[in-house]
Amino acid sequence: MKENLFEMGANFDDAWSSDNKDKPSKKTSTEIKPPEKHQLHFAKEKRRGKVVTIVKPFYLDKTAIQALLKTLKKKLGTGGTVKDESLEFQGDIPELLRTHLEALGYRFKN
């Protein structure tokens, strides 16, 4: 274990660790589901005064979620990105997004 100057005399050798070391990794589900098995929901955030529409959780592999993002951005005429298991789109567009995703076979929570 690497010595830290701020741990004066503390002994973390027997299953103890300080808070700034060994962060637990996020749970990543590698389960891939078909579109009809998804239960998506919307979230809105304001970032620098602009609204961002977030749709999550998607259970797809990286290439499939990138392809889905590309087609949705083209259909909606807006910018967007992939973050973890969610898609983020610029603007307040949940109704349009819902219609396009339902046309592709995705389902939503009520």
Side-chain angles (χ1 to χ4, degrees):
M1 185 172 200
K2 187 175 172 183
E3 287 290 324
N4 190 350
L5 297 176
F6 299 107
E7 297 175 57
M8 294 184 229
N11 186 5
F12 292 113
D13 290 338
D14 51 350
W16 287 89
S17 66
S18 61
D19 291 339
N20 61 350
K21 296 179 186 172
D22 301 331
K23 303 264 182 191
S25 62
K26 291 183 181 180
K27 288 184 180 179
T28 55
S29 65
T30 57
E31 182 181 357
I32 297 173
K33 294 182 181 179
E36 54 274 357
K37 296 287 184 184
H38 282 73
Q39 289 291 316
L40 302 175
H41 66 276
F42 289 106
K44 281 197 286 188
E45 288 184 9
K46 273 197 166 183
R47 296 185 184 165
R48 296 186 185 108
K50 313 248 176 169
V51 178
V52 176
T53 304
I54 302 169
V55 186
K56 60 185 175 183
F58 283 95
Y59 300 104
L60 301 170
D61 62 343
K62 191 171 184 173
T63 57
I65 201 165
Q66 290 286 348
L68 176 65
L69 175 71
K70 187 173 182 177
T71 58
L72 287 173
K73 285 188 343 183
K74 193 172 280 191
K75 285 182 182 180
L76 297 170
T78 184
T81 186
V82 176
K83 296 268 177 96
D84 297 329
E85 298 168 342
S86 64
L87 296 179
E88 298 182 357
F89 294 95
Q90 296 173 356
D92 187 12
I93 52 167
E95 298 85 21
L96 285 171
L97 198 52
R98 185 179 191 115
T99 58
H100 287 296
L101 283 171
E102 284 176 344
L104 292 172
Y106 290 92
R107 301 184 65 185
F108 289 88
K109 288 185 180 178
N110 292 334

